[in-house]
Amino acid sequence: MAADKVDPIHQFQIHPLIPIHIGGYDVSFTNSSLFMVVTIVVASAFLYMSTASRSLIPGRLQSISEMAYEFVGNMLRDAAGKQGMQFFPLVFSLFMFVLVANLIGLFPYFFTVTSHIIVTFTLAALVIGTVIVYGFAKHGLGFLKLFVPHGVPVYLLPLVVAIEVISFVSRPVSLSVRLFANMLAGHITLKVFSGFVVSLSALGAVGIAGSVLPLAMAVALTALELLVAFLQAYVFAVLTCMYLNDALHPSH
């Protein structure tokens, strides 16, 4: 047990809570599944309770909800124009899910679902899938103009188109890895310094004195992780808005 407490990787392990096997596939309800459900419940409950009264003079919770609404709305309008507001439910849902999941992961002994690339890649694939489906549904083959910038000489088109295609295909990878890597690295670093505090404290008075520095670092890293939780949710949402703009306006 002691080894588990200072093992920085132990916090990312997935454990089945309700074993479920269907047709040879393991679809068990895991701790990751549990905290994804918790994330949705917490975000939904907060938004419902904060907006239920719909007061003309908003309270603190209603003000936070309205600020989040305007924040995402302005972000989407700035990136994709007024037409982009049709995607507001998608962008707002993604922003709230990532933000709440990141914040929940800061609590001791809780699970950070955004520290697993399969989760972040699924969210990124949803975004890119929406861009592709909507782009072709609205523009038909005209959506392919996204890969043919204006003003490029004919002899350079094959190279430029290849670069644009590779850039587009790499979007879900970069979008998912950015969120996953930041959450993973931050939690590992925080766990390492917390482990130093526990290990040094077991050495007596000298160890306790020596644990002051890693304790201060752990506190500072916690504050930094709180900032990163908001920042990564913002980055994920703003990049989503920019990609959706390509679906709305594929011409460069």
Side-chain angles (χ1 to χ4, degrees):
M1 293 297 293
D4 289 343
K5 292 182 180 179
V6 296
D7 180 9
I9 305 299
H10 181 73
Q11 59 183 315
F12 305 112
Q13 294 178 356
I14 296 180
H15 307 286
L17 301 178
I18 304 176
I20 303 174
H21 298 274
I22 301 176
Y25 293 96
D26 186 357
V27 291
S28 301
F29 187 82
T30 65
N31 53 340
S32 179
S33 306
L34 173 63
F35 277 94
M36 280 190 272
V37 172
V38 169
T39 297
I40 294 172
V41 170
V42 170
S44 301
F46 169 75
L47 292 172
Y48 176 78
M49 291 188 297
S50 61
T51 58
S53 61
R54 299 178 184 178
S55 302
L56 185 61
I57 301 178
R60 293 180 180 178
L61 293 181
Q62 185 176 335
S63 295
I64 295 174
S65 293
E66 291 178 358
M67 288 173 61
Y69 180 94
E70 288 299 326
F71 179 72
V72 176
N74 290 335
M75 183 194 313
L76 189 53
R77 279 189 291 266
D78 291 342
K82 291 183 178 179
Q83 287 182 307
M85 288 303 292
Q86 60 188 300
F87 294 108
F88 178 84
L90 171 65
V91 179
F92 187 77
S93 297
L94 287 172
F95 174 77
M96 291 301 298
F97 179 84
V98 173
L99 176 60
V100 174
N102 291 349
L103 293 177
I104 287 177
L106 293 176
F107 288 88
Y109 303 107
F110 279 28
F111 189 85
T112 310
V113 297
T114 48
S115 65
H116 280 258
I117 194 167
I118 186 61
V119 176
T120 59
F121 184 79
T122 300
L123 296 177
L126 171 63
V127 173
I128 300 303
T130 301
V131 171
I132 294 174
V133 171
Y134 182 87
F136 278 111
K138 182 176 177 61
H139 304 285
L141 293 179
F143 177 66
L144 297 177
K145 293 179 181 179
L146 177 66
F147 307 109
V148 186
H150 288 302
V152 177
V154 176
Y155 61 89
L156 285 178
L157 271 181
L159 176 61
V160 173
V161 169
I163 293 174
E164 290 289 336
V165 170
I166 294 173
S167 175
F168 184 84
V169 172
S170 67
R171 285 180 178 182
V173 177
S174 62
L175 189 60
S176 58
V177 169
R178 182 182 293 104
L179 175 57
F180 145 77
N182 276 278
M183 302 312 298
L184 182 73
H187 280 63
I188 288 178
T189 307
L190 183 59
K191 188 74 171 184
V192 168
F193 279 100
S194 300
F196 286 158
V197 175
V198 174
S199 300
L200 290 173
S201 299
L203 300 179
V206 176
I208 293 176
S211 66
V212 172
L213 180 58
L215 177 61
M217 286 297 298
V219 173
L221 283 171
T222 301
L224 179 61
E225 280 295 283
L226 183 62
L227 175 62
V228 170
F230 283 96
L231 183 60
Q232 288 305 311
Y234 166 73
V235 170
F236 196 95
V238 75
L239 288 176
T240 298
C241 294
M242 293 174 63
Y243 298 158
L244 291 172
N245 179 58
D246 289 339
L248 290 165
H249 312 101
S251 300
H252 286 256

